[in-house]
Structures are given as C-alpha cells and as structure tokens.
C-alpha cells in the first residue's frame, strides 16, 4: 500500500507515521493561543520534527465543539506565514488542516503537500479538484454534522457501518474528481459527531476499515472522551492518548495525529516491536 502526496511517497508496511499538530489559533481547546505568533508556531513545528514527527498538520481554524468559524482571510493570515517559513526548512511533508478550498490552494502553492479535510462530507467537488491538480495527499475525515452542532445529539444505527459506508462512497467520489486512491488516507473522525461510546467502538473496530486498503488516520490526542476515562484536563491527557494510539496501530491504523509527538513515537515503536514478535 502506497500513500502519495506530491513528491512524497510512503510505502507500507513501514512504522506508523506520527502527524504532529501545529495549531495557529487563539481558541483550540488543548493549546489555544500558545502558537498564534507565527515565529512561535514555526519553532514548535521544528521541535515536533526533531521529536520524530513524519508529517506536520498546520491549522488556523479551531474545530472544537461549538467553535466559531474563522473568515477565510483570517485563516490565510494565520497559516500561510507558518507554511512558507517551514517549507524548504523541514524534511517532512506539511499538511494543512482546513475546510476551505481557497485556503487549501494557497497552502499547496506555499509548499504544503497534504490537505487534511474534516469536512470531507462536502457536496461540491472544488476541494477534490484542486487536490487532484496538485497531486496532493488528502485525508478524508468522517464528521456527523458541523463543529457547531456535531456534539448536540450524535446518533447512528451502527457507527462502524456508517463510517465504513462513508469511506467507500468518498473513495468513489474522489476518484470521480480525479483523486487517485493512492493520494487518500481515511479518518473515522473521533469526537466529530460521536458519543464516548461511538469513539471507543470506532477505536476498537479499526480493523473493520483495513480492507479498504488505504492508510487509516486516528486523532484521539487530548480529546474529551479520554478525559471521560481519566478525569484529566486536556493538557494532561497524554497517557490516555498513548493508549489510544497504541491500540489503534495494533488494530491497523497507520497515521497517528497527536500533540504529544515524542511520547507517541516512543510508544508506537515499542508497540511495533511487540507486534513483530507475535
Ligand atoms: C482531527 C483532525 C481535529 C482528527 C483529522 C483536535 C483537524 C480537534 N481532529 N483531523 N482535526 N483527524 N484528520 O482535537 O481526529 O485536534 S481538530
């Protein structure tokens, strides 16, 4: 299995990829405001690369439950300086976390290689066409509802079947827009229109998605369902996040999106050593 993002190529089997989170926002629930200054965000990104990140995910719009949308100009003003300064300076691909085609295009023009799209359940295909043109990587994440409404009453007959059907349909529509399967990674979207039980079921059942033969992305880092189990506040949830990361990789996930890069790399290498001995 291959994941291709412009000039980057990841060939599996290989050790799981750790995707380090770089928030350039004033209001992220776990590290909001710490890296709004571009220079601080760049420093943070360089540190995550040094800690072993294989991808950096740069985002300028908080998508925590209830967060207000950010205007396009403001989002561009946040992420572009960071992407421009990082491109060429780092040896790993940059992913842009955005729902807006114009932001994705500007980010790709500034050196990003992957579009991380939490709004992959979109109706028009502008985002997919620009991903196809740039031959960029694309993370299709499942979300029920919107960040404004998603946690009010998440409901599924069968959450695993619903997410799997979404993946199948999305791969078809992406192919129709010119995005090759090799460019696509799939993400069940933990916390995006899901109860605690839905999140746990999706983690437990990662193996149900491996037959789609695309890399699975899992982002559990610091999310509230971890706090539900541990009682810890967001910036103290790393241990629960590691448990999710190790479980997910043992069950078949290939890319772990996290704030806690150094600890995650260490825990995943240990998990893979155990796997190799089974
Ligand atoms: C995810 C994500 C967020 C995730 C992917 C947070 C942008 C909330 N979560 N992207 N983004 N997967 N692909 O807690 O789970 O970081 S934002």
């Amino acid at each position: 299995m291959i994941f291709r993002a412009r000039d980057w190529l990841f060939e599996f089997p290989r050790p799981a990829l750790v995707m380090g989170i770089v928030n350039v926002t004033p209001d992220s629930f776990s590290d909001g405001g710490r890296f709004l200054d571009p220079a601080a965000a760049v420093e943070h990104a360089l540190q995550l690369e040094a800690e072993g990140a294989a991808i950096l995910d740069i985002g300028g719009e908080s998508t925590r439950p209830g967060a207000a949308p950010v205007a396009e100009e403001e989002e561009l003003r946040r992420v572009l300086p960071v992407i421009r300064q990082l491109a060429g300076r780092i040896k790993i691909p940059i992913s842009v976390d955005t729902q807006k085609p114009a932001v994705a295009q500007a980010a790709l023009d500034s050196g990003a290689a992957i579009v991380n799209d939490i709004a992959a359940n979109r109706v028009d295909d502008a985002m997919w066409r620009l991903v196809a043109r740039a031959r960029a990587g694309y993370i299709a994440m499942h979300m029920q509802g919107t960040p404004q409404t998603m946690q009010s009453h998440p409901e599924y007959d069968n959450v695993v079947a619903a997410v799997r059907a979404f993946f199948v349909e999305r791969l078809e529509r992406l192919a129709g827009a010119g995005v090759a399967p090799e460019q696509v990674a799939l993400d069940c979207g933990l916390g995006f229109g899901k109860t605690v039980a839905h999140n746990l079921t999706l983690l437990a059942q990662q193996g149900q998605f491996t037959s789609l033969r695309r890399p699975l992305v899992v982002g559990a880092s610091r999310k509230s369902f971890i706090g539900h189990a541990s009682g810890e506040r967001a910036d103290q949830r790393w241990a629960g996040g590691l448990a999710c990361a190790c479980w997910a990789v043992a069950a078949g996930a290939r890319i772990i999106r996290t704030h806690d890069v150094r600890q995650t790399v260490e825990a995943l290498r240990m998990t893979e050593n155990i796997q190799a001995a089974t």
Side-chain angles (χ1 to χ4, degrees):
M1 181 170 67
I2 283 171
F3 179 54
R4 209 183 277 282
R6 307 188 86 170
D7 294 336
W8 303 91
L9 184 97
F10 295 106
E11 196 166 358
F12 301 91
R14 54 146 291 146
L17 305 169
V18 173
M19 182 177 189
I21 299 170
V22 181
N23 283 320
V24 199
T25 57
D27 59 348
S28 282
F29 75 95
S30 60
D31 58 5
R34 282 177 60 203
F35 308 113
L36 189 55
D37 165 31
V42 167
E43 275 318 301
H44 183 58
L46 293 173
Q47 187 188 332
L48 296 186
E49 181 189 30
E51 290 179 5
I55 300 170
L56 291 178
D57 192 34
I58 320 285
E61 177 176 48
S62 172
T63 42
R64 72 181 154 73
V70 173
E72 190 169 296
E73 309 77 67
E74 172 64 14
E75 199 179 330
L76 287 166
R77 205 176 60 77
R78 291 178 186 178
V79 298
L80 285 193
V82 179
I83 293 172
R84 284 202 191 104
Q85 287 177 56
L86 284 175
R89 210 171 148 190
I90 58 174
K91 294 181 181 61
I92 56 176
I94 294 170
S95 154
V96 62
D97 155 21
T98 187
Q99 310 180 49
K100 299 186 184 74
V103 175
Q105 184 65 63
L108 293 171
D109 292 343
S110 302
I114 299 170
V115 176
N116 177 24
D117 189 4
I118 66 153
N121 48 336
R122 53 182 72 246
V123 281
D124 74 288
D125 63 2
M127 182 71 106
W128 304 338
R129 293 197 176 279
L130 71 90
V131 166
R133 260 197 315 276
R135 306 178 69 241
Y138 181 76
I139 300 174
M141 197 198 78
H142 178 273
M143 167 164 58
Q144 186 181 79
T146 68
Q148 287 73 46
T149 62
M150 64 192 181
Q151 290 308 104
S152 64
H153 191 55
E155 215 177 318
Y156 302 85
D157 284 339
N158 176 329
V159 69
V160 174
V163 171
R164 196 174 192 289
F166 166 80
F167 287 161
V168 168
E169 194 237 20
R170 204 52 13 152
L171 283 166
E172 274 173 20
R173 287 183 58 194
L174 280 159
V179 181
E182 283 187 359
Q183 291 168 257
V184 183
L186 303 172
D187 188 330
C188 62
L190 299 177
F192 285 85
K194 279 112 190 166
T195 62
V196 171
H198 294 143
N199 291 320
L200 297 176
T201 300
L202 285 167
L203 272 170
Q205 301 293 321
Q206 281 296 302
Q208 300 287 321
F209 306 126
T210 53
S211 59
L212 298 172
R213 306 185 60 80
R214 299 312 313 142
L216 301 172
V217 181
V218 168
S221 186
R222 300 188 185 179
K223 285 184 179 169
S224 65
F225 76 95
I226 296 175
H228 187 86
S230 68
E232 295 289 354
R233 49 172 237 254
D235 63 354
Q236 300 292 325
R237 290 177 189 155
W238 59 271
L242 293 188
C244 296
C246 294
W247 175 282
V249 165
R254 292 289 169 261
I255 303 175
I256 299 297
R257 183 179 181 276
T258 182
H259 304 80
D260 302 301
V261 169
R262 184 181 57 77
Q263 298 93 325
T264 304
V265 169
E266 189 177 328
L268 291 183
R269 293 305 87 89
M270 191 67 225
T271 302
E272 287 157 353
N273 286 349
I274 300 168
Q275 260 187 323
T278 56

